Amino acid sequence: MTADPIVGLHHVTAIASEPQLNLDFYTRVLGLRLVKRTVNFDDPGTYHLYFGDDLGAPGTLLTFFPWPRVGRGAPGAGEVTHVSFLIPLDSLSFWEQRLASKGIPFSRGPRRFNEEVLSFSDPAGMQIELTAQAGVATGHPPRFSDVPSGHAIRGLSGVTMLQLDATETSGILSVMGFHQIAAEGERLRFASSAHPTAFGSHIDIVVDPRANFGRSGAGSVHHIAFRVASDAEQRDWRSVITQRLAATEVLDRKYFHSIYFREPGGVLFELATDQPGFAVDEPVETLGESLCLPAWLESRREGLQQRLPSITLHKGGTEANQAADPHASGELYRAGVALTEAAGVVILLHGRGGPARDILTLSRALAPGRIPLAFLAPQAVGLAWYPNSFLAERELNQPHLNSALARVQATADLALAAGIPRERIVLAGFSQGACLATEFIASHPARYAGLIAWTGGLIGPPGSTLTQAGDLLGTPALFASSDPDQWVPWTRVQESARIFTAMGAQVDLRGFPGKPHSVSGEEIELARQLIERAFAGAQAKG
Ligand code: ZN
């Protein structure tokens, strides 16, 4: 048996009552993002609302079936009684003030396993905790939130179950790679041995042999799902679990694939795959904004929409975030194969005046037919990544320049989330887009599949320090430019090529005397060759 260890929770699913109250609480109070608005696949007259970080990453997700007329549940033995989210340690007072200002009663409990914990109820009566820890990762703060990104909820910390006896539950947790790491009073803490610091890696059991059984209803946790990396891992885990417990067949939940089984203490467990994720049926930019249905329910869309209560998504902090981060809400265009099928990703960055669709037309010329590549082309808001020349003082191009770099990162994150590492990502751009691609790689040094800079170079005024620390580890870098060029001095292209060489890139510097400010057929061919070499031997995934 060689199944990889389970990392932590994938999501928690609970029962809510009024969908609008549920939506408002999780987006406008806790600042999570609604990452999917769909229906309960087993009961399509009910919404299924998914909340999470900006990308809906596994480990950040809390989902609800809102049943407007359901009675309140009562937590009891054999149930998950508390769901806990992770916040940075220095965000505690921010959250105390925020909850107080929203009129949410909360309590700050005694320290637990050396963590500070804020406890409160959601509108359906579910017990929520914010667990503060030092050194939590930045993650992907939701773009439409008025919670400053430094204070944003990062993801799940874990859950607490109430059990009459922990023996059998701890037995199955141990099979799943979760072992007891601490105990405090009646509370036992289990964590994944392989990934003790992953989101959702803490499973607490409070043991109370005299506890009553609960009643399912609004505010009850329906099930908790653990992450498995792939369908193959899921099959392996299913065969492990079914040696002890009955488990369902694999069910297609569209955004992940699932098996379910009830642990001996009574809690419904699920194993959910990381893929395909929430961008499978709508762009990341507009996640959650419209009703998404699986193919087999599309024919019933009209009837379902009439039957479902209407809800309004208020995108809190939109204006403020857009002013500080203007490109965060820009559109993304795609060509080539789906990320889930891709051997690599080419991020195409348009020049001033764009649009993204134009540069995306190069995808056919750049993709050698047998290599499955996904092309992603984010579009600048207003079709310019920054307002002034790339030779201007950097401050004059803010906040657009930093926002543009963040947008490149967010685009690369889509590939990373699909399991495509940086060494299989090419950044390519023309003019402003070439400068942005060059600047991004120099400021995020790593081994990339390649840089293609058609008429562009590092950003900053002449005479300023452009050099960056870090190792590009042999990243192939094509600098191809007209000489002279109306906008991009050849000397800057040469200087950028020198810096890339010093940083360990394999640089190919090409000047084309008298070429207009555009991408020539010869430059496209050089880029195609770089891509072909970078992905030599890549084949379509099984
Ligand atoms: Zn689930």
Side-chain angles (χ1 to χ4, degrees):
M1 182 48 240
T2 57
D4 280 353
I6 288 172
V7 176
L9 293 171
H10 182 286
H11 64 266
V12 173
T13 293
I15 299 167
S17 48
E18 286 296 333
Q20 186 69 54
L21 289 178
N22 178 255
L23 176 60
D24 284 348
F25 184 81
Y26 285 97
T27 56
R28 301 176 90 183
V29 176
L30 295 192
L32 300 178
R33 186 173 186 196
L34 178 68
V35 293
K36 193 61 63 182
R37 179 190 309 214
T38 184
V39 296
N40 181 335
F41 290 179
D42 303 320
D43 171 20
T46 301
Y47 278 118
H48 194 176
L49 303 179
Y50 289 76
F51 302 95
D53 74 356
D54 197 53
L55 304 173
T60 71
L61 300 162
L62 177 58
T63 94
F64 289 94
F65 303 132
W67 283 322
R69 281 170 297 279
V70 76
R72 282 233 166 162
E79 284 187 65
V80 167
T81 55
H82 296 75
V83 176
S84 183
F85 287 106
L86 199 56
I87 57 168
L89 188 56
D90 55 11
S91 297
L92 258 183
S93 57
F94 168 87
W95 279 101
E96 287 179 313
Q97 285 166 27
R98 182 173 173 91
L99 293 169
S101 74
K102 306 267 182 193
I104 312 288
F106 67 92
S107 63
R108 181 163 167 180
R111 284 173 76 89
R112 202 165 75 194
F113 300 126
N114 232 9
E115 296 167 343
E116 297 285 351
V117 181
L118 300 180
S119 306
F120 47 94
S121 301
D122 85 352
M126 185 158 99
Q127 296 297 305
I128 300 291
E129 296 171 340
L130 298 182
T131 299
Q133 285 177 10
V136 298
T138 310
H140 302 282
R143 64 190 70 193
F144 299 119
S145 166
D146 64 352
V147 176
S149 55
H151 294 308
I153 285 174
R154 300 305 206 258
L156 291 168
S157 172
V159 294
T160 300
M161 303 185 226
L162 179 61
Q163 300 283 9
L164 301 174
D165 180 295
T167 316
E168 294 204 71
T169 302
S170 63
I172 192 72
L173 284 173
S174 152
V175 168
M176 293 164 65
F178 284 69
H179 298 285
Q180 188 179 324
I181 57 164
E184 221 174 68
E186 305 308 310
R187 180 179 292 268
L188 313 177
R189 170 153 293 184
F190 295 77
S192 163
S193 317
H195 302 275
T197 59
F199 288 147
S201 61
H202 288 165
I203 307 295
D204 286 3
I205 301 179
V206 169
V207 183
D208 180 358
R210 293 173 307 281
N212 293 315
F213 288 99
R215 183 180 67 246
S216 181
S220 298
V221 170
H222 187 268
H223 63 267
I224 59 175
F226 294 83
R227 290 175 66 181
V228 286
S230 65
D231 293 329
E233 290 295 327
Q234 188 173 57
R235 279 192 297 274
D236 288 348
W237 275 110
R238 187 176 182 284
S239 63
V240 172
I241 299 297
T242 52
Q243 286 166 25
R244 296 169 159 248
L245 299 167
T248 66
E249 295 301 319
V250 176
L251 297 171
D252 182 3
R253 296 319 198 182
K254 185 152 187 178
Y255 312 108
F256 40 85
H257 304 144
S258 300
I259 65 168
Y260 301 83
F261 56 96
R262 200 168 289 280
E263 59 88 19
V267 177
L268 185 59
F269 279 11
E270 173 185 352
L271 299 183
T273 55
D274 283 0
Q275 301 299 332
F278 292 94
V280 73
D281 59 354
E282 60 185 338
V284 169
E285 287 73 15
T286 56
L287 287 177
E289 293 182 14
S290 50
L291 182 68
C292 290
L293 294 173
W296 71 88
L297 288 173
E298 269 302 339
S299 61
R300 294 175 57 191
R301 175 178 282 273
E302 212 169 312
L304 288 172
Q305 272 174 329
Q306 280 172 13
R307 190 166 152 200
L308 290 162
S310 79
I311 50 174
T312 305
L313 173 64
H314 298 276
K315 294 196 281 188
T318 304
E319 294 85 348
N321 285 4
Q322 280 181 350
D325 196 1
H327 297 303
S329 55
E331 293 169 275
L332 179 73
Y333 295 87
R334 297 167 188 254
V337 304
L339 282 173
T340 46
E341 306 298 319
V345 169
V346 181
I347 297 174
L348 288 167
L349 301 171
H350 66 75
R352 189 190 294 271
R357 274 206 187 88
D358 281 8
I359 196 164
L360 203 55
T361 60
L362 294 179
S363 62
R364 280 171 182 276
L366 290 176
R370 62 193 169 69
I371 303 175
L373 293 176
F375 289 83
L376 302 177
Q379 184 162 290
V381 169
L383 301 183
W385 293 109
Y386 38 86
N388 296 297
S389 163
F390 79 118
L391 301 172
E393 291 292 341
R394 291 174 65 100
E395 275 313 304
L396 293 176
N397 279 321
Q398 301 296 13
H400 299 79
L401 176 55
N402 284 349
S403 172
L405 291 165
R407 188 73 202 287
V408 176
Q409 178 70 61
T411 308
D413 285 343
L414 295 177
L416 299 174
I420 298 165
R422 284 182 196 276
E423 58 262 31
R424 288 197 274 128
I425 299 176
V426 173
L427 269 83
F430 168 62
S431 192
Q432 253 202 355
C435 297
L436 189 58
T438 306
E439 186 72 18
F440 181 85
I441 287 187
S443 56
H444 300 73
R447 178 61 159 88
Y448 293 81
L451 165 71
I452 297 166
W454 290 304
T455 309
L458 290 162
I459 296 174
S464 65
T465 304
L466 304 176
T467 311
Q468 310 245 12
D471 195 346
L472 297 175
L473 301 163
T475 298
L478 171 65
F479 289 90
S481 186
S482 30
D483 169 22
D485 181 86
Q486 189 180 354
W487 310 105
V488 179
W490 174 243
T491 51
R492 174 57 61 91
V493 179
Q494 290 175 303
E495 189 182 0
S496 304
R498 271 199 305 276
I499 290 171
F500 266 61
T501 303
M503 291 179 75
Q506 293 174 35
V507 171
D508 184 4
L509 174 64
R510 307 282 183 125
F512 297 92
K515 181 180 73 70
H517 188 76
S518 63
V519 183
S520 69
E522 204 174 346
E523 288 173 310
I524 293 170
E525 175 57 20
L526 287 167
R528 190 195 66 75
Q529 289 169 12
L530 181 152
I531 288 172
E532 187 159 40
R533 281 193 303 272
F535 296 104
Q539 297 296 329
K541 283 186 190 172

